[in-house]
């Protein structure tokens, strides 16, 4: 009797292994590098070095003031 | 720290759609998906206003709050991005967004709704900067190239401003002080027949 119980338990364990939940190993959102790390491509704007955060910010600010604020270009103030 | 923001100056926008075209071209956005679009209020009525709308990269983004798989993240610069490998295309963000920013490509035999696509502030996504994978999923990463979003840089009247929020605010403030507001605006009297301030003695401005 005991032997039959053990056998049936083992059989059930083997049969039900396929019903188990797969481990979820998804890492969620992968980390995104900072924009001032640069792309390393030839399309990078000259005037700052990749990894230089202050240089990147200064480059963006200069570009913004030159490209979007025509008052600074016409000297009208 | 720079905190990236957009603002569209409705007094300047002429509904030319160059921002829309620049965005589509820069990121090779597929048909049916518009990361940016121009909305006109009171179309055809004197005083109509147009405004260019895309993801506003909210400080307290409702899309982030409702996403069931938590695929959104905010960068150090305040740009709201998402991971397309995590997105399940449920569309909750579309209902939550007040600007209609989230877009869903419907391609394939049955027009199945794909993973969400939206404006990235030209900052790519969670892939290696400048990689082919990043371009195919999220478009060009202009921010990492030291450039500003293509839509703002291509705006013909500089109505659309983008970049560090403090600088955007300074530019806009100076602009409003210079041009005045309402009937003080140059040309207002000629265009709308106003007899208020801003109209020169000759009757035309």
């Amino acid at each position: 009797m005991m032997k039959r119980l053990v056998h049936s338990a083992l059989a059930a364990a083997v049969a039900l292994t396929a019903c188990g939940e797969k481990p979820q190993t998804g890492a969620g959102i992968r980390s995104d590098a900072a924009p001032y790390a640069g792309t390393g491509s030839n399309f990078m704007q000259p005037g700052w070095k990749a990894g230089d955060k202050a240089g990147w910010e200064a480059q963006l600010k200069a570009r913004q003031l030159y490209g979007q604020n025509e008052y600074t270009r016409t000297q009208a103030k | 720290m720079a905190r990236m923001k957009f603002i569209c100056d409705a007094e300047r926008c002429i509904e030319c759609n160059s921002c829309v075209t620049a965005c589509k071209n820069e990121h090779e956005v597929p048909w049916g998906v518009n990361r940016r679009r121009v909305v006109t209020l009171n179309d055809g009525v004197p005083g109509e206003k147009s405004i260019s709308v895309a993801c506003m990269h909210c400080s307290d983004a409702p899309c982030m709050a409702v996403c069931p798989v938590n695929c959104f993240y905010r960068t150090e610069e305040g740009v709201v991005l998402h991971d397309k490998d995590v997105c399940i295309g449920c569309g909750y963000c579309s209902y939550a967004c007040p600007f209609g920013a989230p877009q869903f490509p419907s391609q394939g035999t049955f027009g199945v709704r794909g993973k969400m696509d939206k404006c990235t502030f030209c900052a790519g996504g969670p892939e290696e900067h400048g990689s082919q994978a990043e371009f195919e999923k999220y478009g060009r990463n202009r921010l990492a190239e030291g450039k500003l979003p293509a839509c703002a840089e291509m705006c013909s009247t500089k109505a659309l401003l983008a970049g560090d929020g403090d600088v955007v605010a300074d530019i806009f403030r100076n602009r409003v002080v210079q041009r005045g507001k309402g009937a003080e605006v140059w040309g207002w009297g000629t265009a709308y027949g106003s007899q208020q301030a801003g109209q020169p003695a000759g009757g035309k401005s």
Side-chain angles (χ1 to χ4, degrees):
Chain A
M1 181 65 182
M2 190 65 182
K3 205 174 177 182
R4 272 179 60 188
L5 269 175
V6 170
H7 277 287
S8 56
L10 277 173
V14 169
L16 292 172
T17 46
C19 303
E21 193 177 349
K22 286 183 180 176
Q24 297 190 12
T25 52
I29 300 161
R30 283 157 295 145
S31 61
D32 194 3
Y36 52 83
T39 60
S41 73
N42 294 330
F43 297 109
M44 274 182 60
Q45 185 70 17
W48 64 286
K49 285 182 181 175
D52 178 10
K53 186 179 179 183
W56 177 77
E57 286 182 2
Q59 148 68 22
L60 278 192
K61 186 173 182 180
R63 192 176 174 99
Q64 202 174 349
L65 286 173
Y66 182 77
Q68 299 182 7
N69 189 3
E70 66 277 352
Y71 287 103
T72 57
R73 296 168 70 177
T74 57
Q75 304 294 316
K77 284 280 171 189
Chain B
M1 180 61 224
R3 190 160 182 84
M4 299 302 169
K5 289 292 174 196
F6 279 123
I7 193 167
C8 184
D9 187 347
E11 296 289 344
R12 285 194 176 205
C13 181
I14 57 170
E15 201 188 350
C16 70
N17 277 283
S18 63
C19 50
V20 177
T21 311
C23 177
K24 288 215 110 180
N25 182 60
E26 188 76 356
H27 305 299
E28 296 184 11
V29 180
W31 284 104
V33 174
N34 288 297
R35 291 185 178 184
R36 179 169 285 285
R37 63 217 172 279
V38 177
V39 176
T40 303
L41 303 174
N42 299 323
D43 200 358
V45 178
E48 70 172 35
K49 291 276 187 290
S50 293
I51 189 169
S52 176
V53 188
C55 173
M56 294 297 280
H57 301 277
C58 305
S59 302
D60 186 10
C63 55
M64 288 181 86
V66 300
C67 180
V69 291
N70 202 19
C71 76
F72 291 92
Y73 63 101
R74 186 182 288 109
T75 70
E76 203 182 335
E77 293 74 36
V79 180
V80 176
L81 298 174
H82 72 298
D83 189 337
K84 283 195 179 180
D85 291 343
V86 178
C87 175
I88 56 173
C90 68
Y92 280 16
C93 51
S94 176
Y95 293 114
C97 178
F99 303 105
Q103 302 279 301
F104 293 88
S106 30
Q107 293 168 333
T109 313
F110 301 105
V112 176
R113 184 165 64 185
K115 291 173 186 290
M116 190 271 277
D117 189 274
K118 75 171 191 70
C119 160
T120 62
F121 208 89
C122 288
E127 293 283 352
E128 188 189 343
H129 282 351
S131 64
Q132 186 64 23
E134 184 183 53
F135 178 76
E136 285 174 2
K137 285 182 192 168
Y138 309 102
R140 276 274 295 281
N141 192 339
R142 290 173 58 87
L143 224 52
E145 291 172 353
K147 300 170 187 169
L148 292 165
C151 52
E153 297 213 317
M154 292 297 285
C155 179
S156 55
T157 58
K158 298 299 164 203
L160 186 60
L161 302 173
D164 182 3
D166 292 340
V167 182
V168 166
D170 284 345
I171 294 172
F172 193 70
R173 188 183 305 111
N174 183 47
R175 199 181 270 187
V176 172
V177 167
Q178 295 288 334
R179 75 178 177 213
K181 60 188 183 306
E184 298 168 5
V185 175
W186 185 89
W188 187 279
T190 303
Y192 307 123
S194 170
Q195 298 300 312
Q196 299 174 51
Q199 195 169 19
K204 286 186 176 178
S205 58

